[in-house]
Amino acid sequence: MECVFGLVGDGFAIVAADTSAVHSILVHKSNEDKIMVLDSHKLVAASGEPGDRVQFTEYIQKNVALYQFRNGIPLTTPAAANFTRGELATALRKNPYFVNILMAGYDKEIGPSLYFIDYIATLHKVDKGAFGYGSYFSLSIMDRHYHSGMSLEEAIGLVDKCIMEIRSRLVVAPPNFVIKIVDKDGAREYAWRESLKDVSVTSA
Amino acid sequence: MGRLINANDKVNDHQANESCAFFNLSPLHSGLHFSAGRSPIPAKLDAARRIDTPAGSPMSIFEYNGSALIAMVGKNCFAIASDRRLGVQLQTIATDFQKIYKVHDKLFLGLSGLATDAQTLYQRLVFRHKLYQLREERDMKPETFANLVSSILYEKRFGPYFCQPVIAGLGDEDKPFICTMDSIGAKYLAKDFVVAGTASESLYGACESMFKPDMEPEELFETISQALLSSVDRDCLSGWGGHVYVVTSTEIRERILKGRMD
């Protein structure tokens, strides 16, 4: 149900996530932001158990901020990814978090990077990654059209292709998606792709 | 055909339940690759390390990520090789995943099985080895390292790391040493070759037929590569190329193999 995917381009990394908050057969809301801005140059797109997703990503965000306060410099993306994996691995055999994470970041010396972190704390640096049922479609589309060093227009085109594929082929396809980008200028929201706008109460 | 019996095959319900109950999830957990609409396998039937796949038939926890590892002994040298696939059950996530780690110039460790436990175990072992280096002011011998790995695995006897390590190194007077162990640390020393991973049965067959003693490094490289590629071609969970290290007393040669990319 929850579709999260991302890729690395030329000097930037993009992640996209669906925005439905679902409980069994009920859609609570269709504008839930699942991509958290971890710090100025990092994004965390998370999917999985809703409570764990929010709690765990906030916990990581606050710890990353604490590191910066204590040490005066921000964590690099590989360091933040390894920290996240460590937290998931420690909790795994006690009280596991059912959260899958794609962490995208930009570092001055390293450039853009994307880390795939499974809910059982498998960490791997990737060029493109995806979670959820949507991954069956988005990974295939990305396998076909992705090449390293894509420009922003090409990458957004590819993200849109993936979203179209998920919308047309996944039986319980989420209607709306949010796309966020991180590059040398920082982490920010890039666009929404809405096919179903939330209706306000008065008009209903 | 004789099957290597090891702890992977044993079913110990009570301890397995505690350590891997979280792998048997109900289908309501959205966004995870478990069969939709099917109830989880009842605990008392086959709880130990079985996960539902989208296709329906359960897989073992050791087969969750997929792996293939070989180590072979040659003349004053050894070779260690792995496949490169990282998967989540039947879906491939990456084709450049590292399974062989260098502990020091004459000691290599390969870890097959569950990737998260392989990463955790590697971090713990590197930590222990670095402490050893600080205290003893020298590198660990392969035999010692194998004992260390074995004890660390047995510490978790009733909640194990789901990994099978393959250790290969040059010991005293650069004599090659290889061993493997099961997930709770039962060591298996061999003079010729050791294998681990989802393709282990194929690997045993291929190595047994292709191996000869006292091969020179170049011939050893050819042999281990052919054994690896032919075995992983018959296993859907491992493959996507190979990673081979050939180590002699003077040099380490690392090579990437391109095989069937599926």
Side-chain angles (χ1 to χ4, degrees):
Chain A
M1 320 305 179
E2 292 195 355
C3 308
V4 171
F5 59 94
L7 56 112
V8 173
D10 186 19
F12 64 90
I14 277 196
V15 279
D18 78 291
T19 58
S20 316
V22 166
H23 187 88
S24 178
I25 56 167
L26 173 69
V27 178
H28 280 300
K29 63 190 293 217
S30 336
N31 57 359
E32 164 88 0
D33 189 356
K34 295 177 189 168
I35 307 182
M36 164 176 284
V37 175
L38 204 64
D39 72 8
S40 65
H41 284 78
K42 287 185 210 24
L43 290 171
V44 167
S47 77
E49 186 87 38
D52 283 347
R53 171 170 54 81
V54 173
Q55 295 283 60
F56 184 72
T57 52
E58 278 185 7
Y59 171 71
I60 298 296
Q61 186 188 50
K62 301 317 170 200
N63 272 286
V64 168
L66 182 63
Y67 182 94
Q68 181 159 2
F69 287 134
R70 279 189 178 145
N71 298 290
I73 50 162
L75 276 172
T76 59
T77 311
N82 275 290
F83 170 69
T84 307
R85 185 209 107 82
E87 291 302 307
L88 281 169
T90 313
L92 181 64
R93 283 173 154 87
K94 295 186 184 115
N95 194 6
Y97 296 107
F98 293 110
V99 194
N100 299 309
I101 283 173
L102 274 177
M103 186 178 286
Y106 185 90
D107 306 290
K108 232 163 42 124
E109 303 84 33
I110 306 169
S113 48
L114 183 66
Y115 285 88
F116 168 100
I117 309 171
D118 214 346
Y119 76 103
I120 46 172
T122 309
L123 170 71
H124 193 53
K125 182 168 184 297
V126 291
D127 282 335
K128 51 190 188 309
F131 284 109
Y133 285 118
S135 69
Y136 293 115
F137 308 104
S138 50
L139 276 178
S140 302
I141 297 286
M142 289 195 282
D143 282 340
R144 171 69 181 85
H145 295 291
Y146 177 88
H147 55 88
S148 61
M150 292 175 87
S151 70
L152 185 58
E153 293 76 32
E154 287 178 306
I156 292 294
L158 179 52
V159 167
D160 279 331
K161 275 202 185 78
C162 293
I163 292 175
M164 298 295 281
E165 190 69 10
I166 291 170
R167 275 194 185 141
S168 57
R169 291 296 185 183
L170 185 58
V171 60
V172 274
N176 302 336
F177 284 81
V178 64
I179 304 174
K180 295 199 182 178
I181 186 174
V182 61
D183 61 14
K184 62 175 176 18
D185 301 322
R188 58 194 183 278
E189 192 177 285
Y190 181 84
W192 282 72
R193 299 282 186 248
E194 287 173 314
S195 67
L196 195 73
K197 282 201 170 26
D198 262 343
V199 180
S200 63
V201 177
T202 46
S203 57
Chain B
M1 169 177 76
R3 228 188 114 99
L4 184 74
I5 308 292
N6 54 32
N8 303 355
D9 297 347
K10 290 209 174 69
V11 173
N12 288 312
D13 278 340
H14 56 277
Q15 80 227 22
N17 266 344
E18 284 153 26
S19 61
C20 36
F22 47 81
F23 291 114
N24 292 330
L25 288 183
S26 80
L28 290 179
H29 289 280
S30 54
L32 300 166
H33 302 292
F34 296 96
S35 48
R38 280 174 58 103
S39 58
I41 295 162
K44 57 179 164 37
L45 263 185
D46 195 1
R49 306 139 193 204
R50 302 268 142 194
I51 319 168
D52 262 338
T53 62
S57 61
M59 288 170 101
S60 152
I61 185 68
F62 288 95
E63 295 164 3
Y64 189 76
N65 294 120
S67 51
L69 276 175
I70 322 180
M72 262 192 196
V73 164
K75 195 174 168 82
N76 301 321
C77 64
F78 68 87
I80 182 166
S82 75
D83 73 318
R84 305 189 79 203
R85 180 180 178 270
L86 173 70
V88 170
Q89 292 178 328
L90 296 173
Q91 188 183 50
T92 300
I93 299 298
T95 57
D96 57 358
F97 188 68
Q98 191 190 13
K99 290 167 199 168
I100 300 179
Y101 302 98
K102 188 176 91 156
V103 179
H104 62 77
D105 275 343
K106 293 184 178 173
L107 180 55
F108 281 74
L109 169 71
L111 288 164
S112 71
L114 195 62
T116 177
D117 281 348
Q119 288 175 330
T120 303
L121 198 57
Y122 165 67
Q123 286 173 349
R124 282 192 69 186
L125 289 165
V126 152
F127 168 71
R128 293 292 298 267
H129 183 255
K130 283 184 176 171
L131 269 180
Y132 184 94
Q133 275 179 324
L134 286 170
R135 289 190 183 124
E136 301 261 332
E137 293 176 0
R138 65 180 177 88
D139 291 329
M140 239 190 215
K141 284 193 251 193
E143 295 84 0
T144 317
F145 188 74
N147 271 321
L148 174 67
V149 179
S150 177
S151 340
I152 286 182
L153 289 174
Y154 196 78
E155 260 177 359
K156 303 278 184 195
R157 172 64 177 83
F158 299 108
Y161 291 118
F162 299 113
C163 284
Q164 257 188 302
V166 165
I167 295 156
L170 292 173
D172 286 334
E173 283 129 39
D174 292 330
K175 187 165 180 302
F177 169 89
I178 53 172
C179 88
T180 185
M181 53 194 81
D182 66 7
S183 58
I184 49 172
K187 261 189 299 180
Y188 170 60
L189 305 169
K191 295 200 177 69
D192 41 14
F193 57 84
V194 289
V195 302
T198 49
S200 58
E201 280 140 357
S202 294
L203 285 166
Y204 273 120
C207 289
E208 196 70 68
S209 52
M210 295 189 202
F211 181 83
K212 7 188 245 292
D214 288 327
M215 282 187 277
E216 293 295 330
E218 285 310 313
E219 201 191 349
L220 185 64
F221 165 70
E222 286 298 327
T223 308
I224 200 174
S225 306
Q226 291 294 342
L228 179 73
L229 287 179
S230 59
S231 305
V232 303
D233 283 350
R234 284 289 184 183
D235 178 23
C236 60
L237 297 173
S238 51
W240 284 95
H243 212 135
V244 188
Y245 292 84
V246 182
V247 181
T248 62
S249 55
T250 49
E251 61 165 11
I252 303 169
R253 288 200 70 174
E254 177 187 345
R255 276 175 270 220
I256 308 271
L257 303 173
K258 185 165 169 153
R260 276 185 66 112
M261 299 309 222
D262 61 4

